[in-house]
mmCIF file of all heavy atoms in Angstrom:
data_model
loop_
_atom_site.group_PDB
_atom_site.id
_atom_site.type_symbol
_atom_site.label_atom_id
_atom_site.label_comp_id
_atom_site.label_asym_id
_atom_site.label_seq_id
_atom_site.Cartn_x
_atom_site.Cartn_y
_atom_site.Cartn_z
ATOM 1 N N ASP A 31 3.736 1.836 -12.949
ATOM 2 C CA ASP A 31 2.363 1.341 -12.832
ATOM 3 C C ASP A 31 1.448 2.205 -11.983
ATOM 4 O O ASP A 31 0.336 1.798 -11.667
ATOM 5 C CB ASP A 31 2.329 -0.094 -12.258
ATOM 6 C CG ASP A 31 3.049 -1.089 -13.146
ATOM 7 O OD1 ASP A 31 3.042 -0.890 -14.376
ATOM 8 O OD2 ASP A 31 3.618 -2.051 -12.612
ATOM 9 N N TYR A 32 1.921 3.390 -11.620
ATOM 10 C CA TYR A 32 1.124 4.252 -10.751
ATOM 11 C C TYR A 32 1.061 5.683 -11.295
ATOM 12 O O TYR A 32 1.991 6.161 -11.960
ATOM 13 C CB TYR A 32 1.741 4.324 -9.349
ATOM 14 C CG TYR A 32 1.235 3.281 -8.392
ATOM 15 C CD1 TYR A 32 1.764 1.994 -8.405
ATOM 16 C CD2 TYR A 32 0.244 3.579 -7.457
ATOM 17 C CE1 TYR A 32 1.313 1.026 -7.522
ATOM 18 C CE2 TYR A 32 -0.205 2.619 -6.562
ATOM 19 C CZ TYR A 32 0.326 1.356 -6.602
ATOM 20 O OH TYR A 32 -0.115 0.408 -5.720
ATOM 21 N N CYS A 33 -0.032 6.331 -10.956
ATOM 22 C CA CYS A 33 -0.132 7.780 -11.048
ATOM 23 C C CYS A 33 -0.142 8.331 -9.630
ATOM 24 O O CYS A 33 -0.741 7.732 -8.730
ATOM 25 C CB CYS A 33 -1.421 8.201 -11.758
ATOM 26 S SG CYS A 33 -1.427 7.841 -13.512
ATOM 27 N N TYR A 52 2.093 10.431 -14.292
ATOM 28 C CA TYR A 52 2.371 9.004 -14.419
ATOM 29 C C TYR A 52 3.836 8.840 -14.071
ATOM 30 O O TYR A 52 4.712 9.320 -14.800
ATOM 31 C CB TYR A 52 2.066 8.521 -15.836
ATOM 32 C CG TYR A 52 2.172 7.032 -15.979
ATOM 33 C CD1 TYR A 52 1.216 6.194 -15.396
ATOM 34 C CD2 TYR A 52 3.230 6.452 -16.668
ATOM 35 C CE1 TYR A 52 1.327 4.823 -15.516
ATOM 36 C CE2 TYR A 52 3.343 5.073 -16.787
ATOM 37 C CZ TYR A 52 2.385 4.270 -16.204
ATOM 38 O OH TYR A 52 2.490 2.905 -16.310
ATOM 39 N N PHE A 100 -3.170 3.017 -8.770
ATOM 40 C CA PHE A 100 -2.528 1.912 -9.461
ATOM 41 C C PHE A 100 -3.134 1.782 -10.847
ATOM 42 O O PHE A 100 -4.355 1.669 -10.985
ATOM 43 C CB PHE A 100 -2.727 0.604 -8.678
ATOM 44 C CG PHE A 100 -2.170 -0.603 -9.391
ATOM 45 C CD1 PHE A 100 -0.809 -0.754 -9.554
ATOM 46 C CD2 PHE A 100 -3.013 -1.573 -9.929
ATOM 47 C CE1 PHE A 100 -0.291 -1.853 -10.210
ATOM 48 C CE2 PHE A 100 -2.498 -2.677 -10.591
ATOM 49 C CZ PHE A 100 -1.134 -2.806 -10.737
ATOM 50 N N ARG A 101 -2.309 1.841 -11.868
ATOM 51 C CA ARG A 101 -2.805 1.853 -13.240
ATOM 52 C C ARG A 101 -2.624 0.538 -13.974
ATOM 53 O O ARG A 101 -3.198 0.352 -15.050
ATOM 54 C CB ARG A 101 -2.121 2.975 -14.027
ATOM 55 C CG ARG A 101 -2.319 4.364 -13.433
ATOM 56 C CD ARG A 101 -3.804 4.694 -13.352
ATOM 57 N NE ARG A 101 -4.381 4.807 -14.675
ATOM 58 C CZ ARG A 101 -5.658 4.570 -14.937
ATOM 59 N NH1 ARG A 101 -6.496 4.213 -13.975
ATOM 60 N NH2 ARG A 101 -6.112 4.705 -16.186
ATOM 61 N N GLY A 102 -1.807 -0.364 -13.436
ATOM 62 C CA GLY A 102 -1.636 -1.649 -14.088
ATOM 63 C C GLY A 102 -1.114 -1.467 -15.506
ATOM 64 O O GLY A 102 -0.084 -0.844 -15.714
ATOM 65 N N GLY A 103 -1.845 -1.965 -16.472
ATOM 66 C CA GLY A 103 -1.408 -1.876 -17.856
ATOM 67 C C GLY A 103 -1.744 -0.572 -18.536
ATOM 68 O O GLY A 103 -1.324 -0.332 -19.679
ATOM 69 N N ASP A 104 -2.460 0.322 -17.892
ATOM 70 C CA ASP A 104 -2.821 1.617 -18.476
ATOM 71 C C ASP A 104 -1.729 2.633 -18.177
ATOM 72 O O ASP A 104 -1.478 2.949 -17.017
ATOM 73 C CB ASP A 104 -4.150 2.106 -17.900
ATOM 74 C CG ASP A 104 -5.308 1.224 -18.322
ATOM 75 O OD1 ASP A 104 -5.233 0.645 -19.421
ATOM 76 O OD2 ASP A 104 -6.276 1.117 -17.553
ATOM 77 N N THR A 105 -1.111 3.154 -19.218
ATOM 78 C CA THR A 105 0.023 4.061 -19.042
ATOM 79 C C THR A 105 -0.396 5.522 -19.133
ATOM 80 O O THR A 105 0.277 6.349 -19.772
ATOM 81 C CB THR A 105 1.112 3.745 -20.077
ATOM 82 O OG1 THR A 105 0.549 3.885 -21.382
ATOM 83 C CG2 THR A 105 1.652 2.342 -19.891
ATOM 84 N N TYR A 106 -1.513 5.851 -18.496
ATOM 85 C CA TYR A 106 -1.982 7.225 -18.460
ATOM 86 C C TYR A 106 -2.758 7.413 -17.165
ATOM 87 O O TYR A 106 -3.130 6.444 -16.503
ATOM 88 C CB TYR A 106 -2.881 7.529 -19.668
ATOM 89 C CG TYR A 106 -4.079 6.612 -19.778
ATOM 90 C CD1 TYR A 106 -5.277 6.913 -19.139
ATOM 91 C CD2 TYR A 106 -4.012 5.425 -20.508
ATOM 92 C CE1 TYR A 106 -6.359 6.057 -19.215
ATOM 93 C CE2 TYR A 106 -5.089 4.572 -20.588
ATOM 94 C CZ TYR A 106 -6.256 4.893 -19.948
ATOM 95 O OH TYR A 106 -7.334 4.036 -20.019
ATOM 96 N N CYS A 107 -3.004 8.665 -16.812
ATOM 97 C CA CYS A 107 -3.730 8.981 -15.583
ATOM 98 C C CYS A 107 -5.133 9.483 -15.919
ATOM 99 O O CYS A 107 -5.334 10.167 -16.922
ATOM 100 C CB CYS A 107 -3.010 10.077 -14.796
ATOM 101 S SG CYS A 107 -1.324 9.661 -14.296
#
Side-chain angles (χ1 to χ4, degrees):
D31 298 328
Y32 270 82
C33 289
Y52 187 71
F100 176 68
R101 302 301 294 153
D104 293 330
T105 59
Y106 57 88
C107 300

